[in-house]
Amino acid sequence: MDEHHTHEFGRRNRIEKRAVHVWHLHPGLGSKPWYDHFRALIRVQRHTERFDTRLRDWRVSKECAYYLCDLVLPTARFSEAIRNHWCVENRAHYVRDTRFQEDASRIRRNPCIFALLRSFALNLMRFNRVENTSQGLYDNALCLDRVLAYEGL
């Protein structure tokens, strides 16, 4: 078993401690046929203290997550990969939900096409270094020429 610990202080009124443990799985040890596909079992234990500004008190939460992987990597690399996975959620899905109001959409036929169009618009703005997505959407709604002047279109 390999072990890796990380600590983060002061981000969004929270202190987070993570412990990542990796067990290497050897082929042929499992009783199920799918077991031989995996090479590593990863356990991530998170201990988070969040400061509640309304109550002026710290709230503690503990959680444990398990992952199976078909690669064998160093424990620190597994820790980094699991942590960076949430960048997808924060940079794409959250922005689409809040700025494009995707969850409130009433589109029922081919919603995937409109999700692709929203992602295309977001990526186009990022490619052209639009820092404030809300302001960029507002500016583009006022002037179609601004959209057509984007690079990469």
Side-chain angles (χ1 to χ4, degrees):
M1 177 182 75
D2 296 328
E3 193 171 334
H4 179 73
H5 294 274
T6 59
H7 303 278
E8 290 184 12
F9 298 100
R11 296 182 67 191
R12 297 187 190 113
N13 291 336
R14 70 180 181 186
I15 300 170
E16 185 175 87
K17 300 173 189 170
R18 291 172 171 254
V20 178
H21 301 88
V22 176
W23 290 271
H24 298 288
L25 305 175
H26 301 288
L29 293 178
S31 59
K32 304 289 183 192
W34 55 265
Y35 182 83
D36 289 338
H37 178 70
F38 298 107
R39 298 289 176 249
L41 170 67
I42 304 128
R43 179 179 68 193
V44 179
Q45 295 174 307
R46 297 176 191 92
H47 179 271
T48 307
E49 298 176 27
R50 289 183 182 85
F51 186 73
D52 188 341
T53 56
R54 187 171 42 89
L55 299 175
R56 298 196 182 280
D57 194 15
W58 289 92
R59 299 288 177 215
V60 176
S61 66
K62 296 178 182 180
E63 61 183 25
C64 187
Y66 291 91
Y67 301 88
L68 286 170
C69 187
D70 58 354
L71 298 173
V72 176
L73 298 172
T75 306
R77 180 70 180 107
F78 275 129
S79 177
E80 180 184 343
I82 292 168
R83 182 76 175 144
N84 289 339
H85 167 75
W86 290 102
C87 290
V88 173
E89 178 66 30
N90 295 336
R91 285 189 47 85
H93 300 293
Y94 178 77
V95 175
R96 283 183 10 201
D97 289 345
T98 58
R99 300 299 171 247
F100 291 101
Q101 298 172 350
E102 192 170 57
D103 288 346
S105 173
R106 305 277 302 161
I107 297 170
R108 297 296 178 252
R109 287 190 175 184
N110 298 325
C112 295
I113 293 173
F114 287 93
L116 285 172
L117 289 173
R118 290 182 193 105
S119 293
F120 176 74
L122 182 61
N123 290 334
L124 187 62
M125 285 193 291
R126 286 198 175 130
F127 181 76
N128 286 279
R129 294 178 179 82
V130 173
E131 304 226 356
N132 187 332
T133 308
S134 295
Q135 186 66 42
L137 290 171
Y138 181 77
D139 292 343
N140 293 336
L142 293 178
C143 181
L144 182 61
D145 292 335
R146 185 184 312 254
V147 175
L148 297 175
Y150 275 158
E151 292 179 24
L153 188 61

